[in-house]
Amino acid sequence: MTGMALPTTRTDPADLSALGAAFSEEERLVQQKTRQFVRHRVLPSIEEWFERGSFPRHLVPELGQLGLLGMHLEGYGCAGQSAVSYGLACLELEAGDSALRSFVSVQSSLAMFSIWKYGSEEQKQRYLPAMAAGDMVGCFALTEPEVGSDPASMATRAKRDGGDWVLDGHKRWVTNGSIADVAVIWAKTDEGVRGFLVPRGTPGFTTADIRGKLSLRASVSSEAVLDSCRLPEDAVLPGALGLRSPLSSLNEARYGIIWGALGAARCCYETALSFALERVQFGRQVAAFQLTQAKLVDMAVEIEKGLLLAYHIGRLKEAGRLTADQVSVGKLNSTREALKIARAARTVLGANGVTLAFPVMRHAANLESVLTYEGTSEIHQLAIGRALTGVSAF
Ligand code: TGC
């Protein structure tokens, strides 16, 4: 039997399996406009923001104008885009820097999604259109100084006092915390875990930036303290009860990370590829060495595998068939492989790789956080392990 002749056109190094052809016209447009935004508004200044440790707050309204805030939600000024569009936007934002994608994830998937899913009609009208436009910033506070992977042990309490609620507690690792106009705070009540909307300026609610970060330097990470913080009855999210609610919001954000981390990986791979083609050692391009080619091939293959998985997970999400365990598979794979790719890319660049003149070490440093936040790699391994064995090893 004779084999069918396969076309021998040169493979696109950025799209090995021609996955791009699977995206709809609208999805491609979202990807292109986000890529242009990153090219023109982020890349020229990102090293400076990273070095200074400052978040580009001025870009928030532009993200709103582009329709990238709450873009996968329907109504209330949100764009109602497909899950794959949202994923592609995350991919392109994180190819710029994980800080940008983190901002969009927290605004969209954690703060806006929680209000959209669990809020009253009045809360939705009050917050969502302004947050979609980038006129208001939101944050989401679940983690505490002593409570990370085990949110069931949270110490933050909300007690009823007449018609009010009074909150006491300490939250940490709150992205956007110090710049947020409204915080979604998760606290234990006599009925179980509930979510509260705390506007900036509420007496008894304060935030402070966490300093000394060597990762996500262009992102705001904060502490939040609730000290007898009194809130009216209508501050509670009426539809949220139990830990299932914040964990469902986290699924949304973890979904964005599945795509986003691969954007950071793609940037590292493309940087290594172009460096290897230009750099000459021992009288030939670094790309002409077999060891370098092996590294580049492994990077490209892992990115492609990760994107195929992300795409499949995105379509499952659109069909309403995505499970939390499948999100864990994607989050674990993308973050773990992206970090490996960033480290391998750094070795291709040699000493040049450790400076801010190239984006690789910046991405590698960021990816250390991305591997850990919104469910550590260990937590996702254990969630998948439980799904495989039926035995909880937490
Ligand atoms: P358990 O206490 O038994 O269950 C609690 C309830 O939650 C449900 N559940 C989920 N629901 C939706 N999606 C998920 N992924 C869920 N995982 C658990 C569960 O079914 C149960 O529901 P119900 O109705 O029966 O009460 O806990 P578990 O054994 O199910 O889960 C344990 C574990 C470790 C998987 C979970 O606690 C977990 O995911 N821990 C990691 C928490 C985490 O990711 N923390 C990091 C948050 S990131 C952060 O704070 C910063 S993010 C925001 C920012 O960047 O600003």
Side-chain angles (χ1 to χ4, degrees), residues 106 110 140 142-143 148-152 172-176 243-244 247-248 250-251 254 324 373-376 379 383 386 392 394:
V106 170
L110 293 181
F140 176 99
L142 178 68
T143 296
S149 293
D150 179 20
R172 191 167 162 85
W173 299 118
V174 184
T175 301
N176 304 345
L243 209 46
R244 178 177 284 275
L247 290 176
S248 297
L250 276 172
N251 287 337
R254 292 167 176 172
Y373 71 10
E374 293 171 28
T376 63
I379 284 293
R386 180 170 64 180
S392 174
F394 291 113

Side-chain angles (χ1 to χ4, degrees), residues 83-84 86-87 251-259 313-314 317 327:
V84 167
Y86 179 40
N251 287 337
E252 297 291 308
R254 292 167 176 172
Y255 170 76
I257 293 174
I258 296 173
W259 290 86
I313 286 176
K317 187 170 185 346
V327 173

Side-chain angles (χ1 to χ4, degrees), residues 262 265-266 269 299-308 341:
L262 296 171
R266 188 191 71 194
Y269 155 70
M299 289 181 216
V301 168
E302 285 308 327
I303 291 170
E304 208 57 31
K305 282 156 65 181
L307 284 173
L308 287 164
I341 288 165

Side-chain angles (χ1 to χ4, degrees), residues 36-323:
Q36 289 306 318
F37 168 79
V38 169
R39 180 173 297 159
H40 297 297
R41 303 294 291 141
V42 177
L43 295 185
S45 308
I46 186 61
E47 288 91 11
E48 187 193 329
W49 299 329
F50 186 92
E51 197 161 28
R52 268 206 329 247
S54 68
F55 171 70
R57 174 77 176 78
H58 61 281
L59 294 183
V60 174
E62 294 181 42
L63 290 165
Q65 280 154 22
L66 283 170
L68 298 180
L69 302 178
M71 65 183 283
H72 65 311
L73 305 178
E74 291 281 352
Y76 305 97
C78 303
Q81 296 276 357
S82 72
V84 167
S85 284
Y86 179 40
L88 287 167
C90 289
L91 178 87
E92 296 301 332
L93 288 167
E94 197 150 355
D97 194 89
S98 303
L100 262 293
R101 200 269 311 140
S102 295
F103 173 83
V104 169
S105 284
V106 170
Q107 174 88 347
S108 306
S109 290
L110 293 181
M112 292 178 73
F113 177 83
S114 296
I115 298 170
W116 182 85
K117 177 92 177 157
Y118 305 116
S120 66
E121 187 56 33
E122 194 270 329
Q123 289 168 337
K124 292 178 195 182
Q125 297 286 356
R126 177 171 173 199
Y127 291 112
L128 292 179
M131 292 172 85
D135 294 336
M136 280 183 111
V137 170
C139 68
F140 176 99
L142 178 68
T143 296
E144 301 182 350
E146 304 300 329
V147 176
S149 293
D150 179 20
S153 298
M154 74 171 70
T156 302
R157 292 282 183 278
K159 294 202 173 93
R160 285 188 189 275
D161 185 31
D164 293 343
W165 288 93
V166 178
L167 272 66
D168 284 284
H170 188 171
K171 297 290 184 181
R172 191 167 162 85
W173 299 118
V174 184
T175 301
N176 304 345
S178 313
I179 58 166
D181 301 288
V182 61
V184 179
I185 303 278
W186 298 95
K188 268 191 186 159
T189 73
D190 289 343
E191 304 137 30
V193 170
R194 303 211 66 172
F196 295 85
L197 298 181
V198 184
R200 172 153 303 284
T202 304
F205 175 64
T206 50
T207 55
D209 285 349
I210 297 172
R211 299 278 172 205
K213 282 186 304 170
L214 299 176
S215 175
L216 288 181
R217 287 186 50 75
S219 173
V220 175
S221 309
S222 313
E223 313 226 21
V225 174
L226 298 130
D227 183 7
S228 297
C229 177
R230 183 171 288 275
L231 297 169
E233 171 62 34
D234 66 3
V236 75
L237 292 171
L241 183 61
L243 209 46
R244 178 177 284 275
S245 307
L247 290 176
S248 297
S249 300
L250 276 172
N251 287 337
E252 297 291 308
R254 292 167 176 172
Y255 170 76
I257 293 174
I258 296 173
W259 290 86
L262 296 171
R266 188 191 71 194
C267 176
C268 293
Y269 155 70
E270 288 178 349
T271 303
L273 177 61
S274 80
F275 186 91
L277 287 167
E278 281 169 24
R279 174 85 162 173
V280 174
Q281 291 291 287
F282 301 104
R284 52 193 172 133
Q285 293 164 295
V286 170
F289 289 93
Q290 290 182 0
L291 287 177
T292 306
Q293 290 204 1
K295 290 178 191 176
L296 293 169
V297 168
D298 287 351
M299 289 181 216
V301 168
E302 285 308 327
I303 291 170
E304 208 57 31
K305 282 156 65 181
L307 284 173
L308 287 164
L309 178 61
Y311 176 76
H312 174 67
I313 286 176
R315 292 293 184 233
L316 283 178
K317 187 170 185 346
E318 288 162 12
R321 291 193 284 119
L322 183 61
T323 67

